[in-house]
Structures are given as C-alpha cells and as structure tokens.
Amino acid sequence: VSTQSTGSDTETMGKRVQIYHIAVTRHSDGVSVASLPVDKGLSSKNSCDRIVNDSIKDIRDKTRVRQGVPFAYDYHENGARVGVFWDAETNAVFTAIAAPAATSQWLKTLVQRLRDDFVEAASVDRIDSSSENGLKKDFEQSTKKTVTSFQEDPDHVLQVQKVKASLNEVREITLENISQQLERSQNIDDVNAKSDDLLNFSTQFKNCLLYTSDAADEEDSVDLGGRRIIKKKKKKEQGCTDVFHNKREIVNHLMGDIT
C-alpha cells in the first residue's frame, strides 16, 4: 500500500473530526493488546485492522517511523489519515486512524495523549504479558474522555496544546534563568567569604605590626602575635611563635614574609 506523509499543521478542521479506530500494539511480537473501533462501521469500511498491521510493518522496516517521535500520514487506499507513536518506555505502538480532515499535528497530539492515558491505567508489565486484546477494556476506559474531546472540538484541542507548549517553553527559560542567577549568587557568596577572610587576616596582620613595632622600640623580646615575652619565664603565648630580640630581626622577618 502506497503511503505518504502529509497534512498541514496550521489548518483548522471544523467542528468535528471522526476517529475511526485506535490501537496499542506490542512492538516485540506485533500483538495488538488493545484494538478498539471508535466507529465500528467506519473502522470496518476503512480496513483499520490492516492499517494497524501496516504501521507495525513500517516500523520494523525502518522506513519512516522512529521511536519516540510521533508521525502522521495519508493512507492512500481509502483516504484515511493515520497517526503513529512508537513509545520507548512501553515499547508499544499507539495508532489512531481518522477522517481525511485530521491534520498532522492533531494526529500526533492524539496518539501521544492516548499513550499517556493508557500508561496510567496499564503498567508496562501488563502490556508485556497481555494476550491479544487483553487490555481492550482498560484502553477504552482510559481513553474515552480524550477520544471525545478530540472528536467534538478538534481546533480547541490544538489551541490548548499550543498554549501548553508555550507555557512549557516559558517554564524552561525561567528555570534556566533562575539556575544562572543562583550560580551567580553562589559566586558572589564565595567572593564575599574570601573578602571577609582577607579582611580578618589583614586586621590581624596590622595588629601584629603595631604590637611588634611598639615592643621593638622598647627592645623587649616579642613574638609575632604582639605579646611580650618575659625572658626569665621563657613563656610562649599562642599567636606568632618565633621570638625576636631586636628591631632589625623583626623588620627582616616581616619583610621576608611579605616578599
């Protein structure tokens, strides 16, 4: 069967678009764990079961459909429009077949919504172990609201989808800006902390110089902490540890530390 991707994403579809058939097919063995005619007459007339099988064949032949990327095309034999989504998490293929009025964007959005609804109702393990049509009831119940809304007001659905996409884009930009701001704030905090450390060190160093200079003028023995040392007791105070006995040694030591 000759098929071709087509459809404008900007066209309006009118008041109602008929969905013929929806299905979930396990990729590993091609078993449809849920194949649901939305309109039995149109599903049969448009050979929707065969379209579902052809979609799986497309994926296996690696002709057009890629995992994780929704795809829409015309089924030339009967004019139906087909949306396909090969989901990576469940390794299942979600298919929607609709009237020719369906746009590509509408179909792509629909199959992704069918996937989201179904995954909430059926776990990956159940999909892996299900027999043919074993999850049909779960699929029907979980997707009923989505099918109705997409059929009855297709243009509104697309408008909502566009708004959501815009909000998500704004959200991502906002989060990125916040992240950058937090990173800048962290850098500022680091600079402030280092500045505080430098200020504390310079203050201590200044005090050390003042005390040392004062003691040196009196030719007493001092340590670098500015504390005078009583020679008789030879007591060491905390702070600077090297003892100097005259002004020349103090100046030489300080100049050596600075250089």
Side-chain angles (χ1 to χ4, degrees), residues 13 17-23 38 70-72 81-85 94-99 102-118 139 143-151 154 157-158 161:
M13 294 178 289
V17 174
Q18 180 64 52
I19 299 173
Y20 301 160
H21 197 101
I22 56 177
V38 178
F71 184 76
R81 294 277 289 151
V82 184
V84 183
F85 181 56
F94 294 80
T95 306
I97 305 160
T103 65
S104 293
Q105 187 58 47
W106 181 85
L107 282 164
K108 293 174 184 179
T109 305
L110 173 58
V111 288
Q112 288 179 294
R113 283 283 298 276
L114 293 175
R115 180 266 177 205
D116 294 342
D117 293 342
F118 187 54
F139 189 45
T143 60
K144 186 176 182 180
K145 184 177 179 180
T146 292
V147 168
T148 300
S149 64
F150 270 72
Q151 285 191 131
V157 167
L158 288 182
Q161 183 65 24

Side-chain angles (χ1 to χ4, degrees), residues 207-208 211-212 215 220-230 235-240 242-243:
N207 291 337
C208 177
Y211 290 139
T212 301
D220 290 335
S221 297
V222 297
D223 66 9
L224 293 180
R227 298 181 176 84
R228 298 177 183 180
I229 305 300
I230 300 176
K235 183 178 179 180
K236 293 184 179 180
E237 300 289 346
Q238 293 182 348
C240 305
D242 296 322
V243 178

